Amino acid sequence: MLKAIPERLTYAQQRLVKLIEARELRKWCTNNGLTHSSIYRIALNEKIPTYKIICEMAHLIAPIEWLFYTDEKLPYKAQLVSAFDPKKSICKYIKEHRFDYKTIAEKYGLSNLSAYNLFVTYKARPTAAFIRQVCAEVNPIEFFTESIKEIPEQYIPERGDIISHNGELLFVLTTKEYTKKHTYVICCLISSDCMDGIALEKTHTKGTVNPYAIISFSFARPMPTLIETADKVSTKKIMKKATEFLVL
């Protein structure tokens, strides 16, 4: 017996419901390597479509059709793309906003921790609700395609940045202008513990900045990776300690 059809459906759900009514959903799922019970529940609003599921079906149902209801006009053309595996690839939007994730968090009402996990560590994935929010400015296809830009080359470390370079976690002391002029970066090593060190505060990165373990490297490949940026108070405290014997 067919369960009650929700009064309001997304364009994607409408496609699935038509398959249910034609008694073709199971065959369609089998032919496309999808789990029938899961897709059936999504069609009838019993399960929320995750980013992973939308990615898996991107070659069958245009991703934007999961974001808007049939009584709404699609703001962009519905496009099918190749099935996207978020475990193996980072989508264009996430990759290209790695270095301004705090700005994105403030704009769309995300916590800094949620944005950090989404854009920096990739421990979280975008929800359909978040992607719909971004639709006001960006075609959602950017969440389901890879970036063709070499993003690391756009990043120049700034004082207060916490970066990863050659397997080490570092706190940047030099300014972006200094790095542009002299083409190298001066940092303090961040360790799990350090006598006379300064513990990181208000950051997702845990550890102690060692103001006596100074590391410098030429700003060239391998490029450093931005982890996050410390707050101004912590940066000022670390700079004061580090510059007791180092002139920058």
Side-chain angles (χ1 to χ4, degrees):
M1 182 179 176
L2 181 64
K3 294 184 179 180
I5 304 298
E7 291 185 6
R8 200 173 187 221
L9 298 169
T10 63
Y11 285 88
Q13 286 177 302
Q14 184 183 60
R15 290 180 180 275
L16 298 176
V17 166
K18 286 181 178 180
L19 288 171
I20 292 174
E21 292 175 334
R23 299 186 179 277
E24 294 179 357
L25 182 66
R26 185 179 297 278
K27 181 180 178 181
W28 184 81
C29 288
T30 300
N31 290 343
N32 291 292
L34 301 169
T35 304
H36 172 261
S37 58
S38 178
I39 302 302
Y40 182 86
R41 292 176 62 201
I42 288 172
L44 300 182
N45 264 354
E46 295 178 357
K47 182 177 179 180
I48 297 174
T50 64
Y51 178 65
K52 179 176 180 291
I53 289 176
I54 297 174
C55 286
E56 288 177 350
M57 301 173 68
H59 63 303
L60 301 169
I61 298 177
I64 195 173
E65 294 189 314
W66 292 99
L67 310 176
F68 294 87
Y69 292 94
T70 54
D71 57 359
E72 298 175 307
K73 183 179 179 180
L74 294 179
Y76 302 94
K77 179 182 177 181
Q79 295 175 263
L80 295 177
V81 293
S82 300
F84 185 78
D85 188 347
K87 286 186 177 181
K88 297 180 180 179
S89 304
I90 306 302
C91 71
K92 176 181 172 67
Y93 186 85
I94 296 300
K95 187 176 181 181
E96 295 185 7
H97 286 284
R98 178 182 179 88
F99 305 133
D100 64 343
Y101 74 91
K102 288 186 178 180
T103 301
I104 297 298
E106 184 176 358
K107 180 184 289 187
Y108 294 109
L110 299 176
S111 68
N112 280 339
L113 178 58
S114 295
Y116 177 75
N117 287 333
L118 184 59
F119 291 93
V120 181
T121 65
Y122 309 135
K123 290 181 180 179
R125 291 173 181 163
T127 62
F130 172 66
I131 298 173
R132 175 172 168 132
Q133 277 186 289
V134 176
C135 278
E137 298 181 356
V138 175
N139 189 324
I141 207 69
E142 291 195 9
F143 286 88
F144 305 93
T145 52
E146 291 189 69
S147 172
I148 59 174
K149 292 183 180 180
E150 290 293 332
I151 302 305
E153 293 190 6
Q154 297 180 348
Y155 170 62
I156 299 176
E158 176 64 282
R159 177 175 290 169
D161 283 353
I162 296 171
I163 63 174
S164 174
H165 185 256
N166 280 342
E168 294 181 312
L169 202 57
L170 307 169
F171 183 91
V172 179
L173 301 176
T174 43
T175 63
K176 183 181 293 187
E177 288 71 23
Y178 182 98
T179 298
K180 287 180 179 179
K181 181 177 179 180
H182 300 283
T183 67
Y184 71 93
V185 187
I186 300 176
C187 309
C188 287
L189 183 67
I190 299 175
S191 58
S192 57
D193 192 19
C194 169
M195 187 176 294
D196 295 327
I198 301 173
L200 290 169
E201 299 177 354
K202 298 181 180 180
T203 57
H204 304 304
T205 305
K206 304 303 178 185
T208 303
V209 177
N210 184 345
Y212 309 108
I214 304 297
I215 293 176
S216 64
F217 61 89
S218 174
F219 188 67
R221 293 188 181 279
M223 304 293 286
T225 300
L226 175 68
I227 302 300
E228 62 179 312
T229 301
D231 66 279
K232 293 181 180 180
V233 174
S234 297
T235 298
K236 185 176 181 179
K237 185 189 300 184
I238 293 168
M239 287 300 301
K240 182 179 179 180
K241 188 74 173 179
T243 54
E244 287 180 357
F245 60 93
L246 182 67
V247 178
L248 292 175

